[in-house]
Amino acid sequence: MRVFIGDIFKVLPEIYSTEYLVQKVYSPERVGEKTNRFVQRYVKSLGIKQKPIVLDLDKLPEKKLKKEDYSPLKWGEKVVKRFSNKLGKENIGFLSVSYNISYYEDFLPNLVSRIVENTDLKLDTYPEELPFYGCASGLFSLKSAVEYCKKHNKAAVVFIFDQCSHIGHFTFDSSDPDFKKTLKTNFLFSDGGVGLLIIPETMKDQFDTAVEVLDIKLDHIPGDEIKIQRGKFILGNKLKEIIPPIVSSHVIKPLLKKYDLDINDIKEWAIHQGGYAILEKFKEKEILGLSDLQIKKAEELFSMYGNLSSPSSFFIFDSFFHEKKEKKESLGMIIGFGAGYYIGSALYKWV
């Protein structure tokens, strides 16, 4: 049974320029002129122009959603309703939700159960919720959905999101030893989500665009350079040296070898945009040897949104999915990696 991605849907909150966020959150009145200038320079060096964020900036340091519609439950309902309206909820038999950081606080019943209840989905099997699988979590959900479609010949929905502002630690004292580390994570990570409609071949003709999922490779290599430490979200200094080599050797090259492919056979690279330094590592020949053009889309979306965590590679895939050009038979890869280290890749083909 062949399985396809029939539709993809982005969910985003309000988007602010990083210049505005610096002046709003780290204003001279709050941190002093000297620290404000330092924050401006530091944030500019990250190369992120704007950030989607669910946070009510006027309530800081208290962390509250700006709008009720930004809650993970409302986002999930929006995704399910969009796909139900398109296909009919009777044709959807499975739902998988994955994320790392969420504003969903009433965790019993869990988020996926509440989404099912509020949208009146009648599933064939229990819904799946995968928290804390790092920035590769969406690929784990995608694999579950693909396996379901193959077995049951019905559609599945995947909802991938992160609301990283909920774990943000807003330290305004520049003498705090963790000031720069928390500053980095506060501006590097953003809030957003994406929904995927996964369909069996029998439903493909109902969609103008369909991308076949050829294979998915998942792995886990223990490591703690991305972690919560003393309640603060901390990134280690060795990430760019550790992550790209293991991602390449464990989940990219094995798929290339299995299908007898060269990197130039892959026309679309939807690589999780962990940052410019990490993306640049994939250009090194001993790691993967990608070109500037092959990582261009990931760099563009990093500049546009920052690091969206779990859904980030799917935002890049979304940009490919909605391009208006002929792609028949061309290949692409969705690649995710993050805390844990959970890593994964999906090989797909335009049909």
Side-chain angles (χ1 to χ4, degrees):
M1 175 76 69
R2 298 168 69 194
V3 174
F4 300 80
I5 300 172
D7 197 9
I8 183 168
F9 174 56
K10 291 188 301 187
V11 185
L12 281 168
E14 193 165 349
I15 300 175
Y16 302 92
S17 73
T18 48
E19 290 180 9
Y20 171 82
L21 290 173
V22 168
Q23 297 306 325
K24 181 73 175 178
V25 180
Y26 294 89
S27 65
E29 294 77 18
R30 177 176 273 160
V31 301
E33 292 283 355
K34 183 178 179 181
T35 299
N36 173 264
R37 288 195 298 271
F38 169 78
V39 174
Q40 288 184 59
R41 292 194 303 271
Y42 183 78
V43 171
K44 189 174 182 179
S45 74
L46 294 176
I48 300 169
K49 296 178 181 177
Q50 55 185 22
K51 274 170 52 71
I53 188 168
V54 298
L55 198 61
D56 187 337
L57 300 172
D58 292 325
K59 298 286 179 62
L60 287 174
E62 186 180 16
K63 286 177 280 188
K64 294 288 185 181
L65 291 173
K66 185 171 184 180
K67 299 178 182 178
E68 184 184 350
D69 285 350
Y70 290 168
S71 75
L73 181 57
K74 294 294 185 183
W75 278 6
E77 290 173 7
K78 185 183 293 188
V79 166
V80 169
K81 287 175 182 177
R82 173 189 169 93
F83 295 149
S84 296
N85 290 337
K86 193 160 192 172
L87 192 63
K89 68 175 64 175
E90 70 278 4
N91 292 310
I92 298 171
F94 177 68
L95 171 64
S96 181
V97 174
S98 50
Y99 59 92
N100 292 298
I101 309 299
S102 168
Y103 276 83
Y104 183 71
E105 295 177 350
D106 299 326
F107 51 84
L108 290 178
N110 66 4
L111 175 61
V112 72
S113 296
R114 289 293 308 281
I115 293 171
V116 170
E117 180 183 10
N118 288 9
T119 56
D120 196 33
L121 278 180
K122 309 298 182 186
L123 303 180
D124 295 330
T125 186
Y126 58 85
E128 174 184 76
E129 186 164 333
L130 298 176
F132 318 131
Y133 274 59
C135 301
S137 66
L139 288 156
F140 285 78
S141 282
L142 178 60
K143 186 173 179 65
S144 296
V146 167
E147 290 175 348
Y148 167 83
C149 288
K150 286 182 177 179
K151 181 181 289 188
H152 296 275
N153 196 31
K154 287 181 71 174
V157 171
V158 172
F159 172 42
I160 313 152
F161 76 96
D162 259 317
Q163 297 181 326
C164 297
S165 60
H166 190 260
I167 201 65
H169 190 89
F170 293 93
T171 302
F172 301 117
D173 180 3
S174 60
S175 65
D176 187 309
D178 290 328
F179 177 76
K180 190 172 179 180
K181 291 179 180 178
T182 57
L183 182 65
K184 180 178 182 178
T185 53
N186 287 346
F187 278 94
L188 185 65
F189 289 91
S190 303
D191 303 333
V194 67
L196 297 167
L197 181 60
I198 313 303
I199 56 171
E201 188 173 11
T202 51
M203 297 180 181
K204 182 174 73 70
D205 291 344
Q206 299 179 50
F207 297 84
D208 295 330
T209 304
V211 176
E212 183 176 3
V213 181
L214 298 178
D215 209 340
I216 299 172
K217 175 71 173 172
L218 305 174
D219 209 340
H220 174 254
I221 312 297
D224 67 350
E225 282 286 292
I226 308 168
K227 59 189 173 185
I228 305 297
Q229 182 175 291
R230 301 187 300 277
K232 301 173 184 177
F233 188 18
I234 302 294
L235 299 179
N237 296 321
K238 301 176 183 176
L239 278 176
K240 68 179 181 180
E241 307 299 332
I242 294 172
I243 296 290
I246 63 173
V247 171
S248 178
S249 62
H250 286 260
V251 298
I252 298 177
K253 289 181 178 177
L255 278 187
L256 295 176
K257 183 177 180 180
K258 180 177 178 179
Y259 290 88
D260 193 25
L261 298 170
D262 179 81
I263 61 165
N264 293 316
D265 294 322
I266 308 299
K267 302 304 180 185
E268 298 175 348
W269 291 89
I271 305 177
H272 165 55
Q273 68 278 46
Y276 291 117
I278 287 179
L279 289 170
E280 285 291 315
K281 279 288 179 180
F282 285 102
K283 290 166 55 178
E284 295 181 7
K285 190 169 182 62
E286 62 273 20
I287 293 177
L288 197 58
L290 296 183
S291 67
D292 289 336
L293 183 61
Q294 288 168 318
I295 65 168
K296 181 180 179 182
K297 186 74 76 170
E299 290 185 331
E300 287 176 348
L301 268 74
F302 177 73
S303 174
M304 185 182 300
Y305 297 124
N307 184 335
L308 286 156
S309 193
S310 295
S312 72
S313 57
F314 290 93
F315 267 69
I316 303 170
F317 173 73
D318 170 82
S319 71
F320 288 131
F321 191 87
H322 290 105
E323 286 178 338
K324 302 297 184 183
K325 61 182 182 181
E326 178 58 42
K327 300 186 181 185
K328 192 171 183 179
E329 299 300 317
S330 66
L331 299 171
M333 257 197 192
I334 304 169
I335 299 155
F337 45 87
Y341 309 109
Y342 289 95
I343 57 179
S345 65
L347 178 67
Y348 64 84
K349 181 174 73 172
W350 288 87
V351 296

